[in-house]
Amino acid sequence: AKLGCGEHTVCAGEPGKRRCECAAGYAGDARAGCEDVDECAKDAPCQGENTRCVNAAGGYVCSCADGFERRDGACVNVDECANKQALCDPAATCRDENPGYRCECKKGYEGDGRTCTDIDECATADRCGSNALCTNTAGSFRCACKPGYSGDGVTCTRIDPCKSTPCKNGGACTSNADGFDCNCNNTGFT
């Protein structure tokens, strides 16, 4: 005679005295069908720091929590920065955390660390002197004195064009806003 056991059951007992029982990891009425037991919710069977229990059909699996990996039987922090698993922008610095990691945009960049964009320092503030030009560069900026000026780009001093005696034949040199003028009076030249 056929027993007619439900789903997730096993046939138990001796011949002639057979009965239906729920398979290991299942519970309920064996004739109607047994349901999976969530061992993780019931007993917390996984021991050790940074472990987690994952319920499976008829049982459970112990695994490491996110950001950890099993090494020598223990769940240890994964250094995503060192093993290049981190999803940081090339213009960001990766900082390992326990667990996980954090991306921080480098100086001169802004964003969430996964995406960093260059800050145009020349557009956001007066970085250079009044007689200098500001050039944005990747992650920074550069100051250079305007033509006719010399200095470090922050302090620029006008170059006196008359210093190089540009006037010929004894002409008198006078500096002006556009450069210089040569005055040929009393030299016999015009």
Side-chain angles (χ1 to χ4, degrees):
K2 191 172 182 185
L3 272 177
C5 297
E7 195 174 4
H8 306 295
T9 59
V10 293
C11 187
E14 301 171 12
K17 296 181 183 176
R18 300 269 187 210
R19 65 187 180 284
C20 298
E21 289 182 358
C22 290
Y26 293 88
D29 179 358
R31 290 209 179 268
C34 300
E35 298 291 323
D36 180 51
V37 172
D38 186 351
E39 295 86 356
C40 298
K42 187 173 108 177
D43 299 329
C46 298
Q47 301 300 312
E49 211 172 327
N50 306 314
T51 61
R52 70 174 176 200
C53 182
V54 179
N55 190 50
Y60 64 92
V61 176
C62 294
S63 66
C64 295
D66 291 339
F68 295 90
E69 65 186 3
R70 191 164 300 282
R71 225 181 287 147
D72 299 326
C75 291
V76 296
N77 180 50
V78 173
D79 187 345
E80 295 88 354
C81 300
N83 64 22
K84 309 288 187 214
Q85 291 176 335
L87 301 174
C88 297
D89 190 275
T93 302
C94 185
R95 306 252 186 250
D96 186 48
E97 295 192 342
N98 191 5
Y101 64 94
R102 182 171 28 109
C103 301
E104 296 172 349
C105 293
K106 294 176 182 173
K107 184 178 179 191
Y109 295 88
E110 62 188 358
D112 63 5
R114 291 180 186 254
T115 303
C116 298
T117 53
D118 179 54
I119 296 170
D120 185 349
E121 292 87 355
C122 298
T124 59
D126 270 343
R127 305 275 182 177
C128 303
S130 59
N131 293 311
L133 301 171
C134 184
T135 304
N136 188 53
T137 61
S140 190
F141 64 97
R142 184 175 54 253
C143 295
C145 294
K146 292 178 181 176
Y149 291 84
S150 69
D152 61 6
V154 176
T155 303
C156 296
T157 308
R158 188 165 193 278
I159 299 170
D160 184 357
C162 293
K163 251 186 179 175
S164 64
T165 59
C167 299
K168 304 295 181 209
N169 302 317
C173 183
T174 307
S175 295
N176 63 36
D178 296 324
F180 64 92
D181 289 321
C182 290
N183 186 343
C184 296
N185 293 342
N186 302 324
T187 61
F189 294 95
T190 54

Short mmCIF file of all heavy atoms in Angstrom, two decimals, residues 57-122:
data_model
loop_
_atom_site.label_atom_id
_atom_site.label_comp_id
_atom_site.label_asym_id
_atom_site.label_seq_id
_atom_site.Cartn_x
_atom_site.Cartn_y
_atom_site.Cartn_z
N ALA A 57 17.01 25.73 1.65
CA ALA A 57 16.00 24.68 1.66
C ALA A 57 16.51 23.49 2.48
O ALA A 57 17.52 22.89 2.15
CB ALA A 57 15.66 24.24 0.25
N GLY A 58 15.84 23.21 3.58
CA GLY A 58 16.18 22.07 4.42
C GLY A 58 17.39 22.30 5.31
O GLY A 58 17.88 21.37 5.94
N GLY A 59 17.90 23.50 5.39
CA GLY A 59 19.08 23.74 6.22
C GLY A 59 19.46 25.22 6.22
O GLY A 59 18.63 26.10 6.05
N TYR A 60 20.73 25.47 6.38
CA TYR A 60 21.25 26.84 6.43
C TYR A 60 22.73 26.83 6.05
O TYR A 60 23.37 25.77 6.04
CB TYR A 60 21.07 27.46 7.81
CG TYR A 60 21.84 26.75 8.90
CD1 TYR A 60 23.12 27.17 9.26
CD2 TYR A 60 21.30 25.65 9.57
CE1 TYR A 60 23.84 26.50 10.24
CE2 TYR A 60 22.01 24.99 10.55
CZ TYR A 60 23.28 25.41 10.89
OH TYR A 60 23.99 24.76 11.85
N VAL A 61 23.24 28.00 5.75
CA VAL A 61 24.65 28.15 5.41
C VAL A 61 25.20 29.31 6.24
O VAL A 61 24.56 30.36 6.33
CB VAL A 61 24.83 28.46 3.91
CG1 VAL A 61 26.29 28.71 3.56
CG2 VAL A 61 24.27 27.34 3.05
N CYS A 62 26.36 29.13 6.84
CA CYS A 62 27.03 30.22 7.55
C CYS A 62 28.01 30.87 6.58
O CYS A 62 28.81 30.17 5.95
CB CYS A 62 27.78 29.69 8.76
SG CYS A 62 26.70 29.03 10.05
N SER A 63 27.92 32.18 6.44
CA SER A 63 28.85 32.89 5.57
C SER A 63 29.31 34.16 6.28
O SER A 63 28.79 34.52 7.34
CB SER A 63 28.18 33.22 4.23
OG SER A 63 27.13 34.14 4.41
N CYS A 64 30.27 34.80 5.69
CA CYS A 64 30.77 36.06 6.27
C CYS A 64 29.86 37.20 5.87
O CYS A 64 29.29 37.21 4.77
CB CYS A 64 32.19 36.33 5.77
SG CYS A 64 33.39 35.09 6.34
N ALA A 65 29.72 38.16 6.76
CA ALA A 65 28.93 39.36 6.48
C ALA A 65 29.60 40.13 5.35
O ALA A 65 30.78 39.94 5.05
CB ALA A 65 28.82 40.21 7.74
N ASP A 66 28.84 41.03 4.70
CA ASP A 66 29.40 41.85 3.62
C ASP A 66 30.63 42.60 4.12
O ASP A 66 30.64 43.13 5.23
CB ASP A 66 28.35 42.85 3.11
CG ASP A 66 27.22 42.16 2.37
OD1 ASP A 66 27.43 41.03 1.90
OD2 ASP A 66 26.14 42.77 2.24
N GLY A 67 31.66 42.64 3.28
CA GLY A 67 32.90 43.33 3.65
C GLY A 67 33.88 42.44 4.40
O GLY A 67 34.94 42.90 4.81
N PHE A 68 33.53 41.14 4.57
CA PHE A 68 34.40 40.20 5.27
C PHE A 68 34.58 38.96 4.41
O PHE A 68 33.75 38.65 3.57
CB PHE A 68 33.81 39.82 6.63
CG PHE A 68 33.72 40.97 7.58
CD1 PHE A 68 32.58 41.76 7.63
CD2 PHE A 68 34.78 41.27 8.42
CE1 PHE A 68 32.50 42.84 8.50
CE2 PHE A 68 34.71 42.33 9.30
CZ PHE A 68 33.57 43.12 9.34
N GLU A 69 35.67 38.22 4.64
CA GLU A 69 35.91 36.96 3.95
C GLU A 69 36.47 35.96 4.95
O GLU A 69 37.08 36.32 5.95
CB GLU A 69 36.89 37.15 2.79
CG GLU A 69 38.29 37.55 3.20
CD GLU A 69 39.19 37.87 2.01
OE1 GLU A 69 38.73 37.84 0.87
OE2 GLU A 69 40.38 38.18 2.26
N ARG A 70 36.23 34.65 4.65
CA ARG A 70 36.69 33.61 5.56
C ARG A 70 38.16 33.33 5.31
O ARG A 70 38.59 33.09 4.19
CB ARG A 70 35.85 32.34 5.37
CG ARG A 70 36.10 31.31 6.46
CD ARG A 70 35.05 30.24 6.51
NE ARG A 70 33.70 30.70 6.74
CZ ARG A 70 33.21 31.06 7.93
NH1 ARG A 70 33.97 31.02 8.99
NH2 ARG A 70 31.95 31.44 8.05
N ARG A 71 38.93 33.42 6.39
CA ARG A 71 40.35 33.12 6.36
C ARG A 71 40.70 32.39 7.64
O ARG A 71 40.42 32.89 8.73
CB ARG A 71 41.16 34.42 6.27
CG ARG A 71 42.26 34.33 5.25
CD ARG A 71 43.09 35.58 5.13
NE ARG A 71 42.38 36.66 4.47
CZ ARG A 71 42.55 37.94 4.75
NH1 ARG A 71 43.41 38.31 5.68
NH2 ARG A 71 41.87 38.85 4.13
N ASP A 72 41.25 31.20 7.52
CA ASP A 72 41.62 30.38 8.68
C ASP A 72 40.44 30.18 9.63
O ASP A 72 40.59 30.25 10.85
CB ASP A 72 42.82 31.00 9.43
CG ASP A 72 44.06 31.08 8.56
OD1 ASP A 72 44.25 30.18 7.71
OD2 ASP A 72 44.82 32.06 8.71
N GLY A 73 39.26 29.98 9.06
CA GLY A 73 38.07 29.70 9.85
C GLY A 73 37.39 30.90 10.49
O GLY A 73 36.37 30.77 11.14
N ALA A 74 37.93 32.09 10.28
CA ALA A 74 37.32 33.29 10.86
C ALA A 74 36.97 34.28 9.74
O ALA A 74 37.58 34.26 8.67
CB ALA A 74 38.30 33.95 11.83
N CYS A 75 35.98 35.11 10.00
CA CYS A 75 35.60 36.14 9.04
C CYS A 75 36.40 37.41 9.35
O CYS A 75 36.26 37.98 10.43
CB CYS A 75 34.11 36.42 9.12
SG CYS A 75 33.10 35.05 8.51
N VAL A 76 37.26 37.81 8.41
CA VAL A 76 38.12 38.96 8.60
C VAL A 76 37.79 40.03 7.57
O VAL A 76 37.27 39.74 6.49
CB VAL A 76 39.62 38.58 8.52
CG1 VAL A 76 40.01 37.65 9.65
CG2 VAL A 76 39.95 37.96 7.18
N ASN A 77 38.12 41.27 7.91
CA ASN A 77 37.84 42.41 7.03
C ASN A 77 38.55 42.25 5.69
O ASN A 77 39.70 41.85 5.62
CB ASN A 77 38.32 43.70 7.72
CG ASN A 77 38.05 44.93 6.87
OD1 ASN A 77 36.95 45.13 6.38
ND2 ASN A 77 39.06 45.76 6.70
N VAL A 78 37.84 42.58 4.62
CA VAL A 78 38.41 42.61 3.28
C VAL A 78 38.93 44.03 3.05
O VAL A 78 38.19 44.99 3.25
CB VAL A 78 37.35 42.28 2.20
CG1 VAL A 78 37.91 42.47 0.81
CG2 VAL A 78 36.82 40.87 2.37
N ASP A 79 40.18 44.18 2.66
CA ASP A 79 40.72 45.50 2.33
C ASP A 79 40.48 45.74 0.84
O ASP A 79 41.31 45.42 0.00
CB ASP A 79 42.21 45.58 2.68
CG ASP A 79 42.78 46.98 2.51
OD1 ASP A 79 42.12 47.82 1.87
OD2 ASP A 79 43.88 47.23 3.01
N GLU A 80 39.31 46.31 0.56
CA GLU A 80 38.92 46.54 -0.84
C GLU A 80 39.88 47.50 -1.54
O GLU A 80 40.04 47.45 -2.76
CB GLU A 80 37.49 47.10 -0.92
CG GLU A 80 36.41 46.15 -0.46
CD GLU A 80 36.13 46.22 1.03
OE1 GLU A 80 36.86 46.93 1.77
OE2 GLU A 80 35.19 45.57 1.49
N CYS A 81 40.50 48.40 -0.78
CA CYS A 81 41.44 49.36 -1.38
C CYS A 81 42.70 48.64 -1.85
O CYS A 81 43.17 48.88 -2.96
CB CYS A 81 41.80 50.44 -0.37
SG CYS A 81 40.38 51.38 0.23
N ALA A 82 43.24 47.77 -1.01
CA ALA A 82 44.49 47.08 -1.35
C ALA A 82 44.31 46.07 -2.47
O ALA A 82 45.20 45.90 -3.30
CB ALA A 82 45.05 46.39 -0.11
N ASN A 83 43.16 45.41 -2.51
CA ASN A 83 42.98 44.39 -3.55
C ASN A 83 42.19 44.90 -4.75
O ASN A 83 41.68 44.12 -5.54
CB ASN A 83 42.39 43.10 -2.98
CG ASN A 83 41.00 43.27 -2.42
OD1 ASN A 83 40.29 44.21 -2.78
ND2 ASN A 83 40.62 42.37 -1.55
N LYS A 84 42.07 46.22 -4.87
CA LYS A 84 41.50 46.89 -6.06
C LYS A 84 40.04 46.53 -6.31
O LYS A 84 39.58 46.54 -7.44
CB LYS A 84 42.33 46.57 -7.31
CG LYS A 84 43.81 46.80 -7.16
CD LYS A 84 44.15 48.25 -7.11
CE LYS A 84 45.66 48.43 -7.14
NZ LYS A 84 46.14 49.52 -6.39
N GLN A 85 39.28 46.23 -5.26
CA GLN A 85 37.85 45.96 -5.42
C GLN A 85 37.03 47.24 -5.25
O GLN A 85 35.86 47.26 -5.57
CB GLN A 85 37.37 44.93 -4.39
CG GLN A 85 37.91 43.55 -4.61
CD GLN A 85 37.48 42.60 -3.50
OE1 GLN A 85 37.18 42.99 -2.39
NE2 GLN A 85 37.47 41.31 -3.82
N ALA A 86 37.64 48.29 -4.73
CA ALA A 86 36.92 49.53 -4.45
C ALA A 86 36.55 50.22 -5.76
O ALA A 86 37.27 50.15 -6.75
CB ALA A 86 37.78 50.46 -3.61
N LEU A 87 35.41 50.87 -5.76
CA LEU A 87 34.91 51.56 -6.94
C LEU A 87 35.11 53.07 -6.81
O LEU A 87 34.18 53.85 -6.94
CB LEU A 87 33.42 51.23 -7.15
CG LEU A 87 33.11 49.75 -7.31
CD1 LEU A 87 31.62 49.51 -7.35
CD2 LEU A 87 33.77 49.20 -8.57
N CYS A 88 36.34 53.49 -6.53
CA CYS A 88 36.64 54.91 -6.37
C CYS A 88 37.07 55.53 -7.70
O CYS A 88 37.65 54.86 -8.55
CB CYS A 88 37.77 55.11 -5.36
SG CYS A 88 37.38 54.56 -3.68
N ASP A 89 36.81 56.82 -7.85
CA ASP A 89 37.24 57.58 -9.01
C ASP A 89 38.78 57.65 -9.00
O ASP A 89 39.38 57.67 -7.92
CB ASP A 89 36.64 58.99 -8.93
CG ASP A 89 36.84 59.79 -10.20
OD1 ASP A 89 37.91 60.42 -10.36
OD2 ASP A 89 35.92 59.80 -11.03
N PRO A 90 39.42 57.70 -10.17
CA PRO A 90 40.89 57.84 -10.18
C PRO A 90 41.38 59.09 -9.44
O PRO A 90 42.50 59.12 -8.95
CB PRO A 90 41.23 57.91 -11.67
CG PRO A 90 40.10 57.22 -12.35
CD PRO A 90 38.88 57.51 -11.51
N ALA A 91 40.53 60.11 -9.33
CA ALA A 91 40.90 61.34 -8.63
C ALA A 91 40.47 61.28 -7.16
O ALA A 91 40.27 62.31 -6.52
CB ALA A 91 40.28 62.55 -9.31
N ALA A 92 40.31 60.07 -6.62
CA ALA A 92 39.89 59.90 -5.23
C ALA A 92 40.88 59.02 -4.49
O ALA A 92 41.63 58.26 -5.10
CB ALA A 92 38.50 59.28 -5.15
N THR A 93 40.86 59.13 -3.17
CA THR A 93 41.66 58.28 -2.30
C THR A 93 40.74 57.27 -1.64
O THR A 93 39.66 57.62 -1.18
CB THR A 93 42.34 59.14 -1.20
OG1 THR A 93 43.15 60.13 -1.85
CG2 THR A 93 43.21 58.30 -0.30
N CYS A 94 41.16 56.01 -1.62
CA CYS A 94 40.38 54.94 -1.01
C CYS A 94 40.83 54.75 0.43
O CYS A 94 42.02 54.66 0.70
CB CYS A 94 40.57 53.65 -1.80
SG CYS A 94 39.55 52.28 -1.22
N ARG A 95 39.86 54.71 1.36
CA ARG A 95 40.15 54.49 2.79
C ARG A 95 39.44 53.21 3.22
O ARG A 95 38.22 53.12 3.13
CB ARG A 95 39.64 55.65 3.63
CG ARG A 95 40.14 57.00 3.18
CD ARG A 95 41.15 57.54 4.15
NE ARG A 95 41.50 58.89 3.77
CZ ARG A 95 42.68 59.23 3.27
NH1 ARG A 95 43.60 58.33 3.11
NH2 ARG A 95 42.94 60.48 2.96
N ASP A 96 40.22 52.22 3.67
CA ASP A 96 39.63 50.97 4.14
C ASP A 96 38.93 51.20 5.47
O ASP A 96 39.42 51.94 6.32
CB ASP A 96 40.72 49.90 4.30
CG ASP A 96 40.12 48.55 4.64
OD1 ASP A 96 39.16 48.14 3.96
OD2 ASP A 96 40.59 47.92 5.60
N GLU A 97 37.76 50.60 5.63
CA GLU A 97 37.02 50.67 6.89
C GLU A 97 36.65 49.25 7.29
O GLU A 97 36.79 48.32 6.50
CB GLU A 97 35.77 51.55 6.72
CG GLU A 97 36.14 52.99 6.43
CD GLU A 97 34.96 53.93 6.53
OE1 GLU A 97 33.79 53.48 6.50
OE2 GLU A 97 35.20 55.14 6.64
N ASN A 98 36.16 49.07 8.49
CA ASN A 98 35.83 47.75 8.99
C ASN A 98 34.35 47.68 9.33
O ASN A 98 33.97 48.10 10.40
CB ASN A 98 36.69 47.46 10.22
CG ASN A 98 36.62 46.02 10.66
OD1 ASN A 98 36.00 45.19 10.02
ND2 ASN A 98 37.25 45.71 11.78
N PRO A 99 33.49 47.23 8.46
CA PRO A 99 33.72 46.69 7.12
C PRO A 99 33.64 47.78 6.05
O PRO A 99 33.20 48.89 6.31
CB PRO A 99 32.55 45.71 6.95
CG PRO A 99 31.42 46.39 7.65
CD PRO A 99 32.07 47.08 8.85
N GLY A 100 34.01 47.42 4.84
CA GLY A 100 33.84 48.28 3.68
C GLY A 100 35.00 49.23 3.45
O GLY A 100 36.11 49.02 3.91
N TYR A 101 34.68 50.29 2.72
CA TYR A 101 35.68 51.29 2.37
C TYR A 101 34.97 52.61 2.10
O TYR A 101 33.75 52.67 1.96
CB TYR A 101 36.49 50.85 1.15
CG TYR A 101 35.66 50.72 -0.12
CD1 TYR A 101 35.56 51.77 -1.02
CD2 TYR A 101 34.97 49.55 -0.41
CE1 TYR A 101 34.80 51.66 -2.17
CE2 TYR A 101 34.21 49.43 -1.55
CZ TYR A 101 34.13 50.48 -2.44
OH TYR A 101 33.37 50.37 -3.58
N ARG A 102 35.76 53.68 2.02
CA ARG A 102 35.21 55.01 1.76
C ARG A 102 36.10 55.66 0.70
O ARG A 102 37.32 55.56 0.74
CB ARG A 102 35.24 55.81 3.05
CG ARG A 102 34.68 57.19 2.99
CD ARG A 102 34.56 57.81 4.38
NE ARG A 102 35.53 57.32 5.33
CZ ARG A 102 36.55 58.03 5.81
NH1 ARG A 102 36.74 59.25 5.42
NH2 ARG A 102 37.39 57.50 6.68
N CYS A 103 35.48 56.34 -0.26
CA CYS A 103 36.20 57.06 -1.30
C CYS A 103 36.09 58.56 -1.00
O CYS A 103 35.00 59.05 -0.73
CB CYS A 103 35.60 56.79 -2.67
SG CYS A 103 35.59 55.05 -3.16
N GLU A 104 37.24 59.26 -1.06
CA GLU A 104 37.25 60.70 -0.82
C GLU A 104 37.97 61.37 -1.99
O GLU A 104 39.09 60.99 -2.33
CB GLU A 104 38.00 61.03 0.48
CG GLU A 104 37.36 60.47 1.71
CD GLU A 104 38.23 60.66 2.96
OE1 GLU A 104 39.41 61.03 2.83
OE2 GLU A 104 37.70 60.42 4.05
N CYS A 105 37.31 62.37 -2.58
CA CYS A 105 37.95 63.10 -3.68
C CYS A 105 39.20 63.80 -3.18
O CYS A 105 39.23 64.33 -2.06
CB CYS A 105 36.98 64.13 -4.27
SG CYS A 105 35.56 63.38 -5.10
N LYS A 106 40.24 63.79 -3.99
CA LYS A 106 41.50 64.45 -3.64
C LYS A 106 41.32 65.96 -3.68
O LYS A 106 40.34 66.47 -4.25
CB LYS A 106 42.59 64.03 -4.63
CG LYS A 106 42.95 62.56 -4.54
CD LYS A 106 43.97 62.18 -5.59
CE LYS A 106 44.29 60.69 -5.53
NZ LYS A 106 45.14 60.27 -6.64
N LYS A 107 42.29 66.68 -3.10
CA LYS A 107 42.27 68.14 -3.09
C LYS A 107 42.20 68.64 -4.53
O LYS A 107 42.90 68.13 -5.40
CB LYS A 107 43.53 68.66 -2.40
CG LYS A 107 43.56 70.16 -2.26
CD LYS A 107 44.79 70.62 -1.53
CE LYS A 107 44.77 72.14 -1.44
NZ LYS A 107 46.03 72.68 -1.00
N GLY A 108 41.35 69.62 -4.76
CA GLY A 108 41.18 70.17 -6.10
C GLY A 108 40.05 69.52 -6.88
O GLY A 108 39.78 69.89 -8.02
N TYR A 109 39.39 68.52 -6.26
CA TYR A 109 38.27 67.83 -6.89
C TYR A 109 37.09 67.82 -5.92
O TYR A 109 37.26 67.95 -4.71
CB TYR A 109 38.64 66.39 -7.23
CG TYR A 109 39.71 66.28 -8.28
CD1 TYR A 109 41.06 66.29 -7.95
CD2 TYR A 109 39.36 66.20 -9.62
CE1 TYR A 109 42.04 66.21 -8.91
CE2 TYR A 109 40.34 66.10 -10.60
CZ TYR A 109 41.68 66.12 -10.24
OH TYR A 109 42.65 66.04 -11.20
N GLU A 110 35.89 67.66 -6.47
CA GLU A 110 34.70 67.56 -5.64
C GLU A 110 33.83 66.43 -6.14
O GLU A 110 33.89 66.05 -7.30
CB GLU A 110 33.93 68.89 -5.62
CG GLU A 110 33.43 69.33 -6.99
CD GLU A 110 32.84 70.72 -6.97
OE1 GLU A 110 32.77 71.35 -5.91
OE2 GLU A 110 32.43 71.18 -8.06
N GLY A 111 33.02 65.87 -5.23
CA GLY A 111 32.12 64.78 -5.58
C GLY A 111 31.98 63.82 -4.42
O GLY A 111 32.40 64.11 -3.30
N ASP A 112 31.40 62.66 -4.70
CA ASP A 112 31.14 61.67 -3.65
C ASP A 112 32.26 60.64 -3.49
O ASP A 112 32.17 59.74 -2.67
CB ASP A 112 29.81 60.96 -3.91
CG ASP A 112 29.80 60.15 -5.21
OD1 ASP A 112 30.85 60.06 -5.89
OD2 ASP A 112 28.73 59.62 -5.55
N GLY A 113 33.31 60.78 -4.26
CA GLY A 113 34.43 59.84 -4.19
C GLY A 113 34.35 58.75 -5.25
O GLY A 113 35.37 58.27 -5.71
N ARG A 114 33.16 58.38 -5.60
CA ARG A 114 33.00 57.41 -6.70
C ARG A 114 33.05 58.15 -8.03
O ARG A 114 33.45 57.60 -9.04
CB ARG A 114 31.71 56.62 -6.56
CG ARG A 114 31.77 55.68 -5.36
CD ARG A 114 30.49 54.89 -5.19
NE ARG A 114 30.55 54.12 -3.98
CZ ARG A 114 30.74 52.81 -3.95
NH1 ARG A 114 30.88 52.14 -5.06
NH2 ARG A 114 30.76 52.16 -2.81
N THR A 115 32.63 59.42 -8.00
CA THR A 115 32.73 60.31 -9.14
C THR A 115 33.29 61.63 -8.62
O THR A 115 32.71 62.23 -7.72
CB THR A 115 31.34 60.55 -9.79
OG1 THR A 115 30.79 59.29 -10.16
CG2 THR A 115 31.46 61.44 -11.00
N CYS A 116 34.42 62.05 -9.17
CA CYS A 116 35.05 63.31 -8.76
C CYS A 116 35.25 64.18 -10.00
O CYS A 116 35.65 63.68 -11.04
CB CYS A 116 36.42 63.04 -8.13
SG CYS A 116 36.36 62.04 -6.62
N THR A 117 34.94 65.46 -9.87
CA THR A 117 35.15 66.40 -10.97
C THR A 117 36.10 67.50 -10.51
O THR A 117 36.10 67.88 -9.34
CB THR A 117 33.82 67.01 -11.46
OG1 THR A 117 33.13 67.57 -10.34
CG2 THR A 117 32.93 65.97 -12.11
N ASP A 118 36.88 67.98 -11.45
CA ASP A 118 37.86 69.02 -11.17
C ASP A 118 37.15 70.30 -10.76
O ASP A 118 36.14 70.68 -11.34
CB ASP A 118 38.70 69.26 -12.43
CG ASP A 118 39.72 70.35 -12.24
OD1 ASP A 118 40.50 70.25 -11.28
OD2 ASP A 118 39.72 71.31 -13.03
N ILE A 119 37.68 70.97 -9.74
CA ILE A 119 37.18 72.28 -9.34
C ILE A 119 37.95 73.31 -10.15
O ILE A 119 39.19 73.28 -10.19
CB ILE A 119 37.43 72.53 -7.83
CG1 ILE A 119 36.64 71.53 -6.98
CG2 ILE A 119 37.07 73.96 -7.45
CD1 ILE A 119 37.01 71.55 -5.50
N ASP A 120 37.24 74.21 -10.81
CA ASP A 120 37.91 75.29 -11.55
C ASP A 120 38.23 76.40 -10.56
O ASP A 120 37.41 77.28 -10.32
CB ASP A 120 37.02 75.79 -12.69
CG ASP A 120 37.72 76.82 -13.57
OD1 ASP A 120 38.81 77.31 -13.18
OD2 ASP A 120 37.17 77.16 -14.63
N GLU A 121 39.40 76.32 -9.96
CA GLU A 121 39.80 77.29 -8.94
C GLU A 121 39.82 78.71 -9.49
O GLU A 121 39.60 79.66 -8.76
CB GLU A 121 41.19 76.95 -8.37
CG GLU A 121 41.23 75.68 -7.56
CD GLU A 121 41.47 74.43 -8.38
OE1 GLU A 121 41.50 74.51 -9.65
OE2 GLU A 121 41.60 73.36 -7.79
N CYS A 122 40.10 78.86 -10.78
CA CYS A 122 40.15 80.20 -11.39
C CYS A 122 38.77 80.84 -11.45
O CYS A 122 38.65 82.07 -11.39
CB CYS A 122 40.75 80.11 -12.78
SG CYS A 122 42.45 79.50 -12.79
#
